[in-house]
């Protein structure tokens, strides 16, 4: 056989990208096959032969195209955005380690890692603790709740019971029943928050973390989609009075103050001080109940 004939039948060695895509495809299949329909809130059906979920079910849960997801599991050379990867990670119920592995195999930055804030120092934690019974928390411009004291933790729900990636005020306003029920001025508050989020997003249009949060909200909440479609914008406000219905102590009238937590704009320290003596007494009672529970 001549050299030319050998060259015709030679198979090109896989590239590093080929290997990475193959590993990604195998990882996705393994994660898909371990999840039962019941775990995903789907009916099993009488003729299920596929172990775990079907590809079309993952695509449905992630709100992505079936063809696109199939190509991903076939190691096709396709472009994958961070917000779509985020949706797939949630549909497959990946933990933080698995999620990081997914983004590494997809050669993409995980937008959740942007929620970390090195400016939250032990001194800032100590300050929030000393503010009790006044609720206090640290948020970034995207409304991620990065740290909080005990009173804020129990203000509208038990934040410790919420997964860290879901500790976001916008997400909780539109998806968490306890948070929604406790917001007496919810209609006004949600409309204002969406308008502020749109105004702030003008500076983060290419940021995967912002696009990822926007997609999650649009997929999860028709109410958010309606408000977002209004294209209303509003400036951030440093002071405002809120009306919150705390299930254990009753109605609270709280003045909130927003302060930068560092020398540069980014994380903000939010403090909630009682607007009247009755609210002050109820905050003290809430903290006493929290301490008794501990």
């Amino acid at each position: 056989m001549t050299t030319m004939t050998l060259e015709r039948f030679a198979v090109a060695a896989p590239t590093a990208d080929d290997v990475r895509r193959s590993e990604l495809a195998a990882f996705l299949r393994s994660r898909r096959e371990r999840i039962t329909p019941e775990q995903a809130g789907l009916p099993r059906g009488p003729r299920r032969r596929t172990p775990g979920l079907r590809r079309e079910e993952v695509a449905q849960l992630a709100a992505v195209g079936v063809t696109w997801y199939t190509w991903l599991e076939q190691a096709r050379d396709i472009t994958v955005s961070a917000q779509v990867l985020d949706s797939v990670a949630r549909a497959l119920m990946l933990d933080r380690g698995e999620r990081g592995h997914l983004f590494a195999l997809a050669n993409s930055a995980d937008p959740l890692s942007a929620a970390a804030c090195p400016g939250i120092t032990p001194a800032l934690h100590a300050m929030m603790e000393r503010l009790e019974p006044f609720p206090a928390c640290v948020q970034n411009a995207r409304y991620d709740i990065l740290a909080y004291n005990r009173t804020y933790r129990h203000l509208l729900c038990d934040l410790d019971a919420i997964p860290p990636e879901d500790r976001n005020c916008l997400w909780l306003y539109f998806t968490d029943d306890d948070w929604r029920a406790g917001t007496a001025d919810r209609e006004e508050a949600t409309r204002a928050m969406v308008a502020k989020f749109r105004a702030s997003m003008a500076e983060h249009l290419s940021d995967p973390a912002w696009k990822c949060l926007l997609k999650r909200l649009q997929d999860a909440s028709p109410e958010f989609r309606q408000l977002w479609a209004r294209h209303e914008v509003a400036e951030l406000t440093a002071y405002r009075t809120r009306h919150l219905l705390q299930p254990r102590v009753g109605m609270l009238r709280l003045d909130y103050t927003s302060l930068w937590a560092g020398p540069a704009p980014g994380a903000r320290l939010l403090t909630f001080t009682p607007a009247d003596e009755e609210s002050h007494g109820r905050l003290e009672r809430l903290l006493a109940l929290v301490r008794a529970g501990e």
Side-chain angles (χ1 to χ4, degrees):
M1 188 176 291
T2 65
T3 302
M4 184 176 295
T5 303
L6 288 171
E7 290 175 350
R8 285 180 57 194
F9 289 95
V11 177
T15 66
D17 282 341
D18 292 334
V19 174
R20 178 176 53 77
R21 286 194 298 270
S22 295
E23 286 290 325
L24 174 61
F27 179 67
L28 288 172
R29 286 194 296 271
S30 71
R31 301 303 89 180
R32 171 172 61 83
E33 291 172 356
R34 73 172 181 175
I35 301 174
T36 66
E38 291 82 2
Q39 287 176 308
L42 299 173
R44 171 168 289 277
R47 296 184 179 180
R48 178 174 293 272
R49 298 178 181 177
T50 304
L53 297 179
R54 301 185 178 100
R55 287 173 175 170
E56 57 266 28
E57 290 171 331
V58 175
Q60 174 190 341
L61 291 169
V64 300
V66 177
T67 300
W68 181 92
Y69 182 78
T70 300
W71 285 352
L72 198 60
E73 279 202 11
Q74 291 175 345
R76 300 280 190 98
D77 186 5
I78 58 175
T79 301
V80 187
S81 69
Q83 57 265 37
V84 171
L85 282 173
D86 175 79
S87 296
V88 171
R90 296 177 191 279
L92 294 175
M93 303 180 187
L94 302 186
D95 62 26
R96 291 303 294 261
E98 293 169 331
R99 180 188 172 95
H101 187 60
L102 170 69
F103 276 84
L105 290 175
N107 197 25
S108 179
D110 185 353
L112 274 189
S113 63
C117 182
I120 303 177
T121 62
L124 190 53
H125 278 285
M127 183 188 301
M128 287 190 290
E129 184 176 342
R130 295 292 293 176
L131 285 170
E132 294 174 351
F134 300 166
C137 71
V138 178
Q139 294 181 17
N140 60 16
R142 206 169 48 246
Y143 295 107
D144 295 323
I145 305 170
L146 307 176
Y148 44 85
N149 63 11
R150 287 176 296 182
T151 322
Y152 188 87
R153 169 189 164 185
H154 293 277
L155 194 59
L156 294 175
C157 68
D158 183 357
L159 278 174
D160 280 2
I162 302 291
E165 60 270 22
D166 290 342
R167 292 175 194 163
N168 174 282
C169 284
L170 267 173
W171 179 255
L172 293 170
Y173 268 120
F174 288 100
T175 66
D176 187 273
D177 291 339
D178 291 336
W179 196 278
R180 292 163 64 89
T183 310
D185 53 357
R186 196 182 69 81
E187 184 176 350
E188 175 190 355
T190 51
R191 182 174 177 179
M193 187 170 286
V194 171
K196 294 173 187 176
F197 180 63
R198 179 179 280 280
S200 297
M201 193 168 181
E203 300 177 2
H204 304 274
L205 291 175
S206 60
D207 188 318
W210 287 72
K211 293 193 293 184
C212 178
L213 175 60
L214 176 60
K215 182 180 185 302
R216 286 191 71 200
L217 288 164
Q218 289 176 322
D219 290 344
S221 172
E223 182 186 3
F224 176 85
R225 291 197 298 271
Q226 292 175 0
L227 290 174
W228 188 255
R230 295 182 180 183
H231 289 266
E232 294 178 339
V233 294
E235 294 182 348
L236 292 175
T237 52
Y239 309 98
R240 187 171 167 229
T241 300
R242 297 295 316 280
H243 296 79
L244 304 178
L245 182 59
Q246 212 291 325
R248 288 190 281 182
V249 299
M251 183 66 69
L252 298 168
R253 293 183 65 248
L254 304 176
D255 295 328
Y256 87 72
T257 304
S258 175
L259 305 169
W260 293 124
R268 295 171 293 147
L269 172 65
L270 270 64
T271 61
F272 295 78
T273 53
D276 51 49
E277 286 300 319
E278 187 175 26
S279 296
H280 193 168
R282 288 175 176 174
L283 283 178
E284 290 180 330
R285 190 157 69 252
L286 175 60
L287 181 60
L289 290 171
V290 170
R291 285 172 173 163
E294 292 176 347

